[in-house]
Amino acid sequence: MTDSKKIIYECINSIKELDYSAMQKAREYQSTLAMPPGSLGLLQDIGGQIAGITGRIKNTVGVKRIIVLCADNGVVSEGVSSAPKSVTASQAVNMTRYLTGMSCLAKHFGNQVQVVDVGIETEYECPSVLNKNIRHGTDNIVLGPAMTKNESERAIAVGIELAGLAKKDGVELLGVGEMGIGNTTTSTAVLSALTGVSPLKITGRGGGLTDEAFEKKIKVIECALSVNKPDSNDVIDVLHKVGGLDIAAMCGVFLGAAQNRIPVVIDGYISIVAALCAYRMSSMCAGYFIPSHQSEECGYMIAAKELNLMPFLNLKMRLGEGSGCPLAFQIVEAACTVMNSMASFEQASIDDSYLEEIRRQ
């Protein structure tokens, strides 16, 4: 067994279920707060979920980090993206300077951003980008596998390692983003392989394509699946044949977050496909996932349904990068604030007997 396989195996086998006793206690505590039953909706659900992750009724999420996995994709040579590969490296660097959509939001809210190179092809100079490069971009999935099985395993192991480092750094809430030109194509191929849904039904326009390029993108994904024949029951087989280093490493972060009992926010389309990969490897990790916004990519809700998750924001966003994470972090923080600071009926000097009939329903 290789070191990467061992890391993945140990991670999966150490993921535990949520603390359902703590979740029940959180629900009971919420019922004492000065409000009609369930009136804070999803904030109460999130508060209960956080309790299940930590085992505590009252929690904080003081240190928040967005891990952004960056890699290039060989399928770009098929004309499936409006942007050149060089944009991957440029934006990875710009993220460290807080100049991109995601990173300027993260800076505003005081969130950490960790930019990680797992497969950037273009040369760049930026010490602030963490170098975990496995190879300089993947191969063209129309012609054969994106990478070797070992390389996909190494990428997953990198993600697991990053989540472990976050735990050591005292991070209490994680977000998972990406930067990789062409990765809406690879993520759609992965989603189609895992779910059996035709690329025709789940392919979106990514960063923007002409009608002609969009039609070609669908055909490219169909061809890649036909050429590689990924095994839908084997996530690593799917990732190494039609995925990307960014998606594989993101999958590892989701697994590692669950292993370390850290709540982890899903961003948009590529992020939720990576979360689905993690879920297929260990179904228990889904309890640690917090969706953020509904991506405009048409495959997003297919993946969300597979995970039985419903995003709580719909801002018509489709940027990626992890841009939904800083916004979702604020909502998670709000859910914790309710648990920590809201008065009970007793503290508010309110006789709650008027709610008895409602509670019995």
Side-chain angles (χ1 to χ4, degrees):
M1 183 183 292
T2 64
D3 289 344
S4 297
K5 277 186 178 179
K6 184 178 179 183
I7 290 169
I8 295 168
Y9 178 83
E10 290 178 349
C11 174
I12 290 172
N13 282 281
S14 63
I15 295 172
K16 306 299 182 186
E17 290 187 342
L18 298 184
D19 185 335
Y20 296 112
S21 174
M23 294 177 75
Q24 178 60 31
K25 289 177 182 176
R27 284 190 289 268
E28 291 170 357
Y29 178 73
Q30 287 169 343
S31 72
T32 70
L33 299 178
M35 60 180 170
S39 57
L40 279 177
L42 292 178
L43 287 182
Q44 291 181 237
D45 293 344
I46 294 167
Q49 181 183 3
I50 300 298
I53 292 171
T54 66
R56 302 185 301 270
I57 294 175
K58 296 189 176 185
N59 294 279
T60 60
V61 285
V63 183
K64 298 175 278 290
R65 176 180 294 176
I66 303 164
I67 302 178
V68 187
L69 291 308
C70 307
D72 281 300
N73 300 280
V75 73
V76 169
S77 62
E78 296 293 327
V80 295
S81 175
S82 59
K85 285 183 181 179
S86 59
V87 172
T88 301
S90 297
Q91 285 295 77
V93 172
N94 285 329
M95 285 178 189
T96 69
R97 299 170 180 166
Y98 298 96
L99 298 175
T100 71
M102 172 278 299
S103 58
C104 75
L105 288 170
K107 182 179 180 180
H108 174 76
F109 291 119
N111 309 146
Q112 297 179 3
V113 175
Q114 183 179 54
V115 183
V116 186
D117 173 2
V118 287
I120 296 176
E121 183 174 319
T122 307
E123 290 187 8
Y124 63 92
E125 295 218 4
C126 182
S128 297
V129 175
L130 181 61
N131 183 5
K132 294 287 183 179
N133 191 289
I134 292 166
R135 55 178 286 175
H136 297 293
T138 54
D139 293 328
N140 185 349
I141 57 176
V142 168
L143 304 177
M147 62 190 115
T148 68
K149 185 168 286 191
N150 177 257
E151 286 166 341
S152 64
E153 290 168 345
R154 286 170 59 195
I156 295 170
V158 164
I160 293 170
E161 175 193 357
L162 293 169
L165 289 172
K167 181 72 172 181
K168 290 179 181 178
D169 290 344
V171 174
E172 295 170 294
L173 181 60
L174 275 174
V176 183
E178 41 63 41
M179 184 62 232
I181 299 303
N183 62 10
T184 59
T185 298
T186 52
S187 56
T188 300
V190 169
L191 181 60
S192 181
L194 291 176
T195 64
V197 179
S198 166
L200 188 63
K201 295 182 179 180
I202 57 175
T203 303
R205 292 178 182 265
L209 292 172
T210 64
D211 290 344
E212 182 181 358
F214 176 58
E215 291 298 322
K216 184 174 184 181
K217 181 178 179 179
I218 296 171
K219 291 178 180 176
V220 163
I221 295 168
E222 290 173 337
C223 181
L225 293 169
S226 176
V227 166
N228 289 289
K229 296 178 174 54
D231 181 355
S232 62
N233 297 311
D234 184 343
V235 170
I236 292 175
D237 188 69
V238 172
L239 287 171
H240 105 79
K241 286 179 176 176
V242 297
L245 290 158
D246 47 358
I247 302 171
M250 293 165 79
C251 169
V253 175
F254 283 114
L255 289 170
Q259 178 189 29
N260 288 282
R261 301 191 76 85
I262 306 173
V264 58
V265 171
I266 299 169
D267 177 35
Y269 182 48
I270 292 91
S271 189
I272 204 166
V273 171
L276 179 59
C277 289
Y279 170 75
R280 289 290 182 88
M281 296 178 80
S282 172
S283 60
M284 281 190 291
C285 67
Y288 298 82
F289 298 168
I290 299 173
S292 57
H293 70 102
Q294 180 176 331
S295 169
E296 285 288 277
E297 285 289 305
C298 53
Y300 178 92
M301 289 308 296
I302 299 293
K305 186 177 179 181
E306 290 280 325
L307 290 165
N308 194 30
L309 293 175
M310 180 59 67
F312 45 74
L313 295 172
N314 188 350
L315 301 173
K316 300 189 182 301
M317 292 167 58
R318 54 186 177 87
L319 175 63
E321 298 183 7
S323 52
C325 297
L327 304 174
F329 286 174
Q330 300 307 301
I331 293 174
V332 176
E333 193 163 23
C336 291
T337 296
V338 168
M339 297 292 285
N340 295 335
S341 303
M342 189 172 179
S344 67
F345 284 103
E346 183 179 357
Q347 290 168 331
S349 301
I350 297 173
D351 180 358
D352 64 340
S353 59
Y354 73 96
L355 292 171
E356 286 306 315
E357 187 174 344
I358 296 173
R359 287 170 175 159
R360 285 196 296 267
Q361 290 181 351

